Amino acid sequence: MKPSTVKIKKMPSRFKHQVPKYKVVRSSACISCGTCAEACPHGVHERTEGHNKVKPPIDYKCIGFECQNNDFYCVAKCPRKALSLTVNPMYETLGDYRWTADMITATWIMAETGYPPERKDLEYNTGNSGGGFDKLRLKFPAGRPKIDKFEISTEIPLNRRNDGRAEIVISTPVYGGGMSFGSVSLPTMVSKARNATIWNTFTCTGEGGYPEVLEPYDNHVITQVATGLFGVREETIQRVKIVEFKYAQGAKPGLGGHLLGEKNTASVARMREAVKGTSLFSPFPFHSVYSIEDHKKHIDWIKEINPHALVSVKVSTPNDVDMVAVGSYYAGAHIIHIDGGYGGTGAAPDIAKKNIAMPIEYAITKVHNFLKDEGARDAITLIASGGIRSAHDLVKAICLGADGAVIGTAEMVSLECVRCGNCESGRGCARGIASTDSELADLFNEEWATQRLTNMYHAWNIQLVEILQKFGMKSVRELVGRTDLLEHIDYSE
Amino acid sequence: MPKKYHIHPKLMPLNLNSLFKFKIERGENCINCGKCTKVCIYEAHKRGKDDPRKMADPNTMVCRNCFRCIQECPRGALEKSLDKDFLNIGGSYWKSDIFITLWKQAEDGKVPVTGAGYRGPFTGDGFDSMWTDMSEIVRPTRDGIHGREYISTSVELGRKLNHLTFGDKGQLLSQIHPTVDVPIPIIFDIPLDNLSPNVKMAQVKAAAELNTFIVLPVKEITPKIGKYINNIIVLLTPEEIDKHQGLIKNARIVALEYTGKLEKQLPALKDKIKKAGNALTIIRVPVTKSVEGIVSRLAQGGAEIIHIVADYHGREIPESAGESYRIIKDIIRAVHLKLVDDRIRDEVTIIASGGIAMAEHVPKAMLCGADLTAIDLPLLIALGARIYEEPEKIIVLPDGLEKITVKTVKQRMINLMSAWHSQLLEVMGAMGIREARRLRGETGRAIFFEEIDNETFGKLFKKRETKNV
Ligand code: SF4
Ligand code: SF4
Ligand code: SF4
Ligand code: SF4
């Protein structure tokens, strides 16, 4: 599949207004002359035919201070000096250190248009966390790129073991993270699967069982075997091309999974083969795995049940993550998926997210180097997740040593998640993304959601290709482990 | 195996002017269409009680920042901003978000849980520059809050022996020192001076219910409060010892402030206290540059328990203005390592305080080398206290707090400790550590920013520099 064949379609916000970065105020000095309405090509000012008064400015359409250079700049054109332009105080309520308001806004634009924003006023490559990816910069060589974009491949193989199992190649080095049915709505899950199919990549069921409606997308679904074993059956394992063992998740390493009773609705309970309304726990760890040998037994078990499937092992990032990775290689895994603490879409105790285990940037470095030292690096695929927010993060993760990345939050944000963090409280997500409440889950349809995801993947792929072109590379595989292309702002002097 | 320790939280709202983060305002151009009422699932928007044709002012307290009303109001009449009080409160150490999370924990006693990943900075000062470790596969099973297995959070206070000596018939010759157990590694430090009687009483009762301790100056121990002597650490000066023999007799622990003189006096003072009863003695040492030396000498001189006291944002007290200072995390490590070097670490108990602001600080202080921690401000933040760091430290208690019942105030402190205890279990469970006393100085279960950064990025990026040279 060629990424250039993916169909992009404009898919605007579900809501009447978008979150504005700027605030345009029209004072009482306005005489409703209509100059601004005529001038502004972005439609900030409107005067309906036959009305005397100009409508209040539509802030979110304003392109901000860069407009000063235009001859249509309304603030300058207004004969009464009635207009003023400032940053909207509302903008401060959007986003956080990791996902800044600019980054969220830019992701929304990508999901709407399929391209990175044209506006210059959004810093969306790095966040504001003051460390890790946010302190790494790409070092582009000088000079004009010599490679044609169309020659550049973003494919990566997932099976490097040469063991006769499925030779899976994904078309873009990103796939969708596990979000279980119950923690997100069915339309969200289906949209993720449809997008994964369009992009010839994968999505993951999470640990909440395998809904029947995903059947048409079986070839692009990873099913998870987690400690709770919810909904795990031989049939579900036989249906898919990749089975993932989830030992831990970065957002709550060592804590297992937890679905609140309120979210365990009738349909969720059926899927998980549990009793409706009870809180469900996935214990930590696998109570049958206390050594790499036990671990190997589990992998052998999956391989026995499905002779073609690849096995992925998902772990979080403790100090010994490098040993676990090498152990997983020896146990026969095809993919080692390391999940850092900064991502995660499901609910987790704040104390765990912030404090337990190391950031993904360090873990990638450690695992990549250790696998290399052990001579195992070329025989296993290293996937990173937990804090990959942008195409630049993806590239940096690959430069540090990953083959590709799994994203979760970026997908949610494409579906207009505002990162309010209330996914688990009461009825769940007010915006219908992480909710099984039928009224809220009906807030969007699969058509819309699928296209938004497809658009966002497209925008990332475009950025990835551009970066590869600048580096003079024909394949994303050449980028793996190229730390020499990175600089760290703390170390650059 | 000791009985399992339980704290019983109860929903306990406090109707005092509380802090909130998001402020919603409805503009003049609202047409009272009621759309916002429909879309806000947290019920921030309601129609007026008196006149249902008009919208009431938004209940901005309950806003959870979902943006739906903002985006769906047909007129764009709603505005949202960060509340001014929220922006002003705290400072560089007591971040405004801390106030909101502690308040909430005091309200319901639950572990704060949110979705959609971590939102904060990569690292920060002090405790924010370390992570606790966990173990993926080979580890003991966890219990956490779900009770499948026993995790003990209790720690022991008192002098321990370095080794036991036995006689030739195998009889024990060493004299075992008495110790005191606390079921959580947290005690309450000296309360602020100007607290109202209900708050003072509630603090003492909360300490008693939790079966931990509160440090109280001797003059505060009225007969009514004295009933809780089992859970009071009596703070006095060496001169006061004679006068308060009765109190000391009943106390399990007493505390003395460190002074230069005290080092020499210590054996005599301890004897005096021992004569009155069985109380253990804590020496409170303010954290200065020379703290590790002082602590070491005290330990050599026979001190049982040493409490190192940093200032309210966890800083060393500079000897002269403008001097650089260390922060609590590094201070504890320095003290711990000094005692380890002097081969006396196992014999004394170290309490650390100053800047213990959140649940995670407790296990982190312990990993750095403290046996337990002491707190004061979080207990007041549970009641709505506001701290301002700049230009100088100010603590403001909410109006009307003095009229709240002791029961309510106490329960909020219990709730906070319940939430902290559960969080401690979460972290210990993830680490695979089943006994809190094993956390002490267990740096193998900690990941320090400077170390890991050096080990990874340090290697990658420094190499390149030298190449350039
Ligand atoms: S240009 Fe100025 S005076 Fe004219 S309608 Fe716009 S704001 Fe009013
Ligand atoms: S509740 Fe908030 S953070 Fe969670 S999915 Fe919905 S919008 Fe995103
Ligand atoms: S949705 Fe807007 S116009 Fe309608 S009642 Fe609410 S604030 Fe007023
Ligand atoms: S932003 Fe969301 S939670 Fe806040 S008032 Fe509006 S609808 Fe309610």
Side-chain angles (χ1 to χ4, degrees):
Chain A
M1 201 274 309
K2 276 229 163 262
S4 55
T5 61
V6 170
K7 278 207 187 64
I8 294 310
K9 203 170 100 198
K10 205 164 154 83
M11 201 43 87
S13 167
R14 294 170 284 163
F15 304 111
K16 183 166 167 62
H17 303 280
Q18 289 167 45
V19 180
K21 177 162 183 174
Y22 304 102
K23 193 170 171 67
V24 182
V25 176
R26 184 182 291 113
S27 76
S28 58
C30 168
I31 49 165
S32 290
C33 69
T35 308
C36 52
E38 266 163 45
C40 180
H42 298 282
V44 175
H45 309 281
E46 269 180 49
R47 187 159 74 165
T48 323
E49 220 35 72
H51 279 69
N52 276 340
K53 276 204 163 166
V54 186
K55 286 187 178 167
I58 304 170
D59 291 328
Y60 74 85
K61 294 189 176 171
C62 174
I63 58 166
F65 303 114
E66 64 184 84
C67 189
Q68 279 167 3
N69 307 324
N70 298 325
D71 45 359
F72 56 76
Y73 183 49
C74 65
V75 177
K77 283 208 115 174
C78 170
R80 287 294 161 135
K81 303 225 171 323
L83 292 170
S84 63
L85 171 65
T86 51
V87 172
N88 200 315
M90 180 125 65
Y91 206 57
E92 272 190 313
T93 67
L94 180 68
D96 45 72
Y97 288 98
R98 305 204 62 83
W99 274 87
T100 58
D102 275 3
M103 215 178 224
I104 295 177
T105 307
T107 307
W108 284 342
I109 293 173
M110 293 181 214
E112 174 167 346
T113 64
Y115 292 91
E118 282 166 16
R119 288 162 61 169
K120 299 280 172 297
D121 64 331
L122 300 173
E123 172 48 80
Y124 56 91
N125 292 328
T126 49
N128 211 1
S129 77
F133 292 135
D134 292 343
K135 279 205 167 163
L136 293 172
R137 298 287 180 272
L138 302 177
K139 285 200 307 190
F140 292 114
R144 293 180 136 264
K146 293 180 196 72
I147 290 179
D148 184 352
K149 272 189 194 166
F150 294 100
E151 289 174 49
I152 296 173
S153 159
T154 56
E155 283 181 354
I156 59 164
L158 296 181
N159 183 1
R160 302 169 175 227
R161 287 196 91 98
N162 257 330
D163 59 355
R165 288 177 171 261
E167 298 286 338
I168 300 173
V169 174
I170 53 176
S171 299
T172 191
V174 189
Y175 56 87
M179 297 177 208
S180 57
F181 179 54
S183 72
V184 294
S185 64
L186 209 50
T188 306
M189 272 189 107
V190 174
S191 312
K192 277 168 51 99
R194 285 173 62 175
N195 175 59
T197 309
I198 291 169
W199 274 97
N200 179 34
T201 183
F202 282 82
T203 185
C204 176
T205 58
E207 60 168 322
Y210 201 138
E212 275 311 310
V213 292
L214 291 185
E215 209 194 309
Y217 318 104
D218 277 355
N219 284 342
H220 298 279
V221 172
I222 299 173
T223 196
Q224 216 172 49
V225 178
T227 53
L229 299 176
F230 292 118
V232 174
R233 301 173 176 203
E234 289 201 354
E235 303 98 83
T236 61
I237 288 172
Q238 284 160 348
R239 270 166 75 171
V240 295
K241 287 189 167 172
I242 305 178
V243 179
E244 177 166 275
F245 267 104
K246 187 185 85 177
Y247 278 93
Q249 54 206 112
K252 38 186 165 179
L255 304 186
H258 182 186
L259 186 77
L260 289 181
E262 292 129 49
K263 284 200 146 193
N264 185 10
T265 58
S267 51
V268 172
R270 208 174 319 118
M271 193 85 59
R272 294 200 177 201
E273 300 172 330
V275 179
K276 176 186 161 213
T278 52
S279 290
L280 299 179
F281 296 101
S282 295
F284 182 86
F286 269 106
H287 286 299
S288 42
V289 181
Y290 290 96
S291 64
I292 291 294
E293 291 70 32
D294 291 344
H295 179 38
K296 180 169 187 313
K297 261 184 259 166
H298 278 69
I299 292 180
D300 290 345
W301 162 55
I302 296 292
K303 287 184 169 175
E304 190 63 36
I305 294 175
N306 184 337
H308 302 290
L310 307 189
V311 177
S312 163
V313 173
K314 178 177 176 183
V315 294
S316 53
T317 53
N319 237 335
D320 60 357
V321 60
D322 41 6
M323 312 265 234
V324 174
V326 169
S328 296
Y329 162 73
Y330 285 117
H334 300 88
I335 301 169
I336 176 85
H337 171 182
I338 51 175
D339 190 23
Y342 293 152
T345 49
D350 291 346
I351 189 168
K353 291 197 272 202
K354 179 178 172 195
N355 299 296
I356 307 179
M358 70 175 76
I360 189 67
E361 293 90 338
Y362 298 139
I364 299 171
T365 311
K366 278 184 76 138
V367 170
H368 173 70
N369 289 335
F370 200 61
L371 284 169
K372 246 181 19 193
D373 293 348
E374 288 284 305
R377 183 64 189 89
D378 293 333
I380 194 161
T381 303
L382 174 59
I383 298 289
S385 68
I388 313 285
R389 303 155 296 179
S390 63
H392 271 241
D393 283 355
L394 168 68
V395 167
K396 290 169 190 171
I398 296 174
C399 288
L400 288 175
D403 291 299
V406 160
I407 54 172
T409 306
E411 291 190 336
M412 307 280 266
V413 173
S414 302
L415 304 181
E416 299 195 289
C417 162
V418 287
R419 286 178 59 73
C420 63
N422 304 315
C423 332
E424 283 287 312
S425 68
R427 291 166 67 193
C429 172
R431 300 169 72 89
I433 304 156
S435 179
T436 46
D437 182 302
S438 52
E439 189 191 323
L440 291 169
D442 283 347
L443 267 174
F444 63 79
N445 65 35
E446 288 162 25
E447 219 60 56
W448 178 85
T450 307
Q451 190 64 56
R452 296 272 298 191
L453 292 171
T454 305
N455 287 353
M456 185 270 291
Y457 272 65
H458 186 260
W460 278 37
N461 196 271
I462 282 185
Q463 295 172 75
L464 175 59
V465 168
E466 257 164 30
I467 292 169
L468 291 171
Q469 188 187 30
K470 282 192 197 162
F471 282 138
M473 292 177 182
K474 285 198 173 157
S475 163
V476 67
R477 298 178 61 186
E478 293 170 44
L479 197 61
V480 178
R482 291 290 302 272
T483 51
D484 59 311
L485 303 177
L486 295 174
E487 66 186 331
H488 189 294
I489 55 180
D490 284 350
Y491 290 99
S492 56
E493 282 300 312
Chain B
M1 198 178 265
K3 223 174 85 214
K4 200 165 161 133
Y5 180 64
H6 273 300
I7 304 177
H8 300 285
K10 256 187 242 138
L11 196 65
M12 194 55 71
L14 191 60
N15 295 321
L16 296 176
N17 200 1
S18 68
L19 196 67
F20 55 88
K21 186 165 179 177
F22 305 105
K23 183 168 181 168
I24 301 270
E25 285 164 298
R26 182 176 286 108
E28 298 277 295
N29 52 337
C30 164
I31 50 165
N32 297 300
C33 71
K35 178 89 180 173
C36 49
T37 313
K38 266 195 223 111
V39 301
C40 181
I41 63 170
Y42 309 106
E43 303 183 353
H45 301 286
K46 285 190 178 148
R47 288 199 171 270
K49 271 211 185 86
D50 311 327
D51 182 0
R53 284 171 305 176
K54 286 230 166 88
M55 297 301 297
D57 283 340
N59 179 7
T60 192
M61 287 281 306
V62 300
C63 172
R64 302 284 280 273
N65 204 28
C66 79
F67 280 90
R68 275 198 69 189
C69 62
I70 303 289
Q71 291 189 262
E72 295 189 57
C73 165
R75 289 300 163 117
L78 292 164
E79 291 189 10
K80 181 152 61 70
S81 55
L82 291 178
D83 184 64
K84 287 233 164 52
D85 278 354
F86 173 81
L87 289 173
N88 287 336
I89 200 169
S92 62
Y93 192 87
W94 294 88
K95 309 227 164 50
S96 27
D97 281 321
I98 296 180
F99 292 84
I100 303 235
T101 163
L102 293 183
W103 171 272
K104 191 148 181 300
Q105 292 170 55
E107 203 101 345
D108 61 14
K110 288 190 185 147
V111 175
V113 170
T114 51
Y118 173 63
R119 304 181 155 63
F122 188 83
T123 50
D125 291 339
F127 291 126
D128 283 350
S129 63
M130 65 184 282
W131 296 274
T132 65
D133 201 14
M134 50 85 66
S135 180
E136 205 71 58
I137 295 178
V138 188
R139 67 198 299 290
T141 52
R142 81 175 284 263
D143 148 88
I145 46 181
H146 314 307
R148 282 189 292 274
E149 194 202 344
Y150 193 86
I151 290 184
S152 162
T153 55
S154 86
V155 290
E156 225 173 8
L157 279 76
R159 183 94 187 177
K160 313 251 176 48
L161 291 174
N162 196 350
H163 57 272
L164 297 176
T165 323
F166 295 94
D168 44 12
K169 295 198 187 74
Q171 78 279 29
L172 187 63
L173 294 181
S174 323
Q175 194 202 343
I176 310 271
H177 302 293
T179 56
V180 167
D181 259 350
V182 268
I184 36 167
I186 305 167
I187 60 170
F188 297 175
D189 210 351
I190 311 170
L192 293 194
D193 281 341
N194 53 353
L195 296 180
S196 51
N198 59 333
V199 175
K200 277 188 193 167
M201 194 62 203
Q203 262 188 26
V204 174
K205 284 190 161 181
E209 185 172 328
L210 294 164
N211 201 14
T212 181
F213 286 91
I214 178 164
V215 187
L216 285 183
V218 70
K219 66 172 188 334
E220 297 280 347
I221 309 176
T222 60
K224 223 167 118 196
I225 284 180
K227 280 201 294 200
Y228 298 94
I229 190 71
N230 232 344
N231 300 94
I232 293 172
I233 295 170
V234 183
L235 175 68
L236 28 64
T237 59
E239 296 71 40
E240 285 170 328
I241 295 178
D242 290 330
K243 207 167 90 199
H244 295 285
Q245 292 281 317
L247 205 55
I248 297 172
K249 178 167 183 278
N250 294 325
R252 290 201 289 162
I253 309 180
V254 301
L256 299 168
E257 295 279 4
Y258 172 82
T259 56
K261 278 193 301 199
L262 193 93
E263 273 176 46
K264 274 197 223 88
Q265 295 174 335
L266 187 60
L269 289 175
K270 271 185 64 183
D271 281 348
K272 239 194 215 179
I273 292 167
K274 282 271 129 68
K275 220 178 274 163
N278 290 319
L280 304 178
T281 308
I282 298 178
I283 315 283
R284 297 171 62 90
V285 185
V287 171
T288 55
K289 259 209 168 75
S290 39
V291 62
E292 53 268 56
I294 297 174
V295 170
S296 170
R297 288 198 301 277
L298 286 171
Q300 318 272 3
E304 301 159 320
I305 309 166
I306 299 165
H307 180 167
I308 50 175
V309 186
D311 80 357
Y312 79 109
H313 31 33
R315 290 182 194 164
E316 184 174 273
I317 301 141
E319 271 147 27
S320 58
E323 222 178 24
S324 68
Y325 51 81
R326 291 177 295 179
I327 29 194
I328 184 82
K329 169 191 132 229
D330 304 313
I331 298 163
I332 301 172
R333 286 190 88 185
V335 168
H336 175 74
L337 290 177
K338 170 84 173 126
L339 294 176
V340 170
D341 282 349
D342 294 346
R343 294 168 196 279
I344 195 165
R345 180 63 190 95
D346 285 337
E347 294 171 49
V348 284
T349 305
I350 299 291
I351 306 174
S353 73
I356 306 289
M358 291 197 280
E360 71 216 44
H361 295 167
V362 176
K364 284 184 173 179
M366 294 167 79
L367 289 173
C368 288
D371 289 277
L372 70 158
T373 58
I375 57 164
D376 45 11
L377 298 178
L379 295 170
L380 298 179
I381 296 172
L383 310 175
R386 298 181 180 198
I387 300 170
Y388 298 90
E389 290 180 39
E390 297 295 332
E392 51 172 10
K393 175 184 170 192
I394 305 175
I395 297 175
V396 186
L397 294 169
D399 283 341
L401 179 61
E402 64 289 346
K403 295 203 194 74
I404 306 291
T405 62
V406 170
K407 218 171 131 201
T408 304
V409 175
K410 180 197 80 179
Q411 188 60 47
R412 286 185 69 96
M413 293 175 177
I414 303 264
N415 284 353
L416 183 68
M417 288 300 101
S418 170
W420 282 31
H421 180 246
S422 304
Q423 290 172 82
L424 180 60
L425 290 182
E426 294 281 9
V427 174
M428 287 177 64
M431 280 191 273
I433 287 191
R434 290 168 30 161
E435 284 182 76
R437 61 192 85 198
R438 279 187 45 217
L439 282 174
R440 189 197 72 194
E442 186 50 90
T443 45
R445 283 274 174 237
I447 302 170
F448 291 99
F449 166 71
E450 308 86 44
E451 288 165 19
I452 184 82
D453 203 65
N454 244 326
E455 190 185 308
T456 52
F457 289 178
K459 273 189 204 151
L460 291 179
F461 299 113
K462 259 185 201 138
K463 220 193 277 161
R464 184 145 42 81
E465 273 158 52
T466 44
K467 227 193 262 170
N468 290 345
V469 168

